[in-house]
């Protein structure tokens, strides 16, 4: 089945450690996105990528880094510089450019930093 | 992308129509209106989108006012499974060549009751 997969579903890390969240899609989508969601809040855009080897900062990029070496993959690294990393992280993908197909979301990774 | 305003919460009786409003008074001519919903602790799910004409699909109907400054998502016969947070988003058409951000607000929490 085509879809977008995030792993792991739950992740625990000690404060000060970098951690990388995985996002893979087999939908042949060009664009991929990372969002952060805090309890009771909406989604906030961290980074997005329109094509391989290119990405742009979203609204809250500080303390995060990404790479887009393959079309199918868009990993997110939460660095030790991120002051409050505990959150629910969502990855999405969509066709770009052209057309108005919807964005497909993964099931999310819940990161807890202790 | 234009900003949207939605009521924070709404209730609806099961079997009745749920009408979710969205204000987007600063929308520009090349921006589309998208609706997504998020069931608790899952990734958001696309519902419908439109530019200026009313749209209908198997999930919902989208009514956009003639001046395009507001819209209403209609779930014609709400069920308990429709309980979710509903997000209204306005988005620049992807093929403009500009960055195709997908920015979420805080949405409307719809509670469907027996």
């Amino acid at each position: 089945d085509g879809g977008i997969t995030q792993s792991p579903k739950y992740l625990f890390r000690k404060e000060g450690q970098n951690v990388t969240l995985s996002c893979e899609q087999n939908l042949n989508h060009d664009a991929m996105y990372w969002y952060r969601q805090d309890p009771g809040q909406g989604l906030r855009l961290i980074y997005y990528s329109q094509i391989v080897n290119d990405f742009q900062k979203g609204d809250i990029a500080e303390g995060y880094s990404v790479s887009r070496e393959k079309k199918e993959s868009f990993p997110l690294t939460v660095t030790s510089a991120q002051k409050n990393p505990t959150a629910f992280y969502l990855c999405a993908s969509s066709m770009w450019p052209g057309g108005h197909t919807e964005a497909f979301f993964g099931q999310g990774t819940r990161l807890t930093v202790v | 992308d234009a900003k949207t305003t939605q009521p924070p919460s709404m209730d609806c009786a099961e079997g009745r129509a749920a009408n979710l409003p969205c204000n987007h008074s600063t929308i520009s001519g090349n921006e589309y209106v998208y609706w997504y919903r998020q069931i608790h602790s899952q990734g958001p799910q696309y519902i419908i989108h439109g530019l200026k004409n009313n749209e209908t699909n198997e999930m919902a109907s989208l009514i956009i006012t003639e001046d395009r400054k507001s819209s209403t998502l209609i779930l014609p016969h709400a069920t308990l499974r429709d309980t979710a947070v509903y997000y209204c988003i306005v988005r620049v058409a992807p093929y403009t060549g500009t960055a195709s951000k997908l920015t979420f607000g805080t949405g409307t929490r719809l509670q469907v009751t027996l």
Side-chain angles (χ1 to χ4, degrees):
Chain A
D1 287 339
I4 182 163
T5 303
Q6 291 186 242
S7 61
K9 188 170 183 178
Y10 298 96
L11 190 55
F12 296 87
R13 279 294 181 269
K14 290 185 178 180
E15 193 171 343
Q17 288 182 333
N18 290 357
V19 59
T20 298
L21 282 59
S22 170
C23 178
E24 303 276 336
Q25 54 96 2
N26 60 3
L27 300 165
N28 200 33
H29 284 170
D30 299 294
M32 297 188 74
Y33 308 80
W34 273 106
Y35 293 89
R36 169 186 172 134
Q37 188 173 36
D38 294 288
Q41 304 296 314
L43 282 69
R44 291 186 290 170
L45 183 63
I46 304 172
Y47 268 99
Y48 60 107
S49 169
Q50 295 169 348
I51 57 172
V52 173
N53 294 322
D54 183 64
F55 47 83
Q56 288 80 38
K57 292 182 178 180
D59 301 314
I60 55 165
E62 185 174 351
Y64 300 98
S65 66
V66 293
S67 63
R68 188 84 187 277
E69 297 176 1
K70 298 186 298 182
K71 187 176 185 178
E72 310 80 51
S73 178
F74 191 41
L76 173 74
T77 297
V78 184
T79 74
S80 56
Q82 168 51 234
K83 298 192 184 318
N84 189 15
T86 294
F88 186 47
Y89 290 88
L90 285 157
C91 180
S93 70
S94 69
M95 290 294 291
W96 187 90
H100 296 287
T101 57
E102 66 269 28
F104 290 83
F105 282 81
Q107 290 304 298
T109 293
R110 193 167 296 279
L111 173 65
T112 302
V113 174
V114 295
Chain B
D1 292 342
K3 184 177 179 178
T4 62
T5 303
Q6 299 176 255
S9 63
M10 294 182 64
D11 293 329
C12 179
E14 189 175 33
R16 304 296 294 269
N19 297 290
L20 292 90
C22 180
N23 182 290
H24 32 79
S25 57
T26 59
I27 193 169
S28 58
N30 63 347
E31 289 182 314
Y32 283 67
V33 181
Y34 285 74
W35 283 83
Y36 286 77
R37 74 179 183 184
Q38 185 179 24
I39 296 170
H40 183 64
S41 294
Q42 296 183 20
Q45 175 192 22
Y46 165 84
I47 301 173
I48 199 168
H49 75 271
L51 180 63
K52 55 184 178 180
N53 298 320
N54 297 339
E55 302 287 345
T56 295
N57 63 20
E58 64 277 7
M59 290 181 69
S61 294
L62 174 61
I63 308 298
I64 302 174
T65 58
E66 192 169 344
D67 62 8
R68 304 211 319 123
K69 293 185 176 182
S70 64
S71 61
T72 300
L73 178 75
I74 301 172
L75 307 178
H77 305 287
T79 71
L80 296 177
R81 288 179 293 181
D82 291 322
T83 293
V85 177
Y86 288 77
Y87 296 98
C88 169
I89 302 160
V90 289
R91 181 185 184 192
V92 174
Y95 48 74
T96 62
T98 58
S100 181
K101 292 171 65 173
L102 189 61
T103 303
F104 287 74
T106 54
T108 295
R109 185 173 299 277
L110 176 68
Q111 180 69 52
V112 181
T113 58
L114 290 172

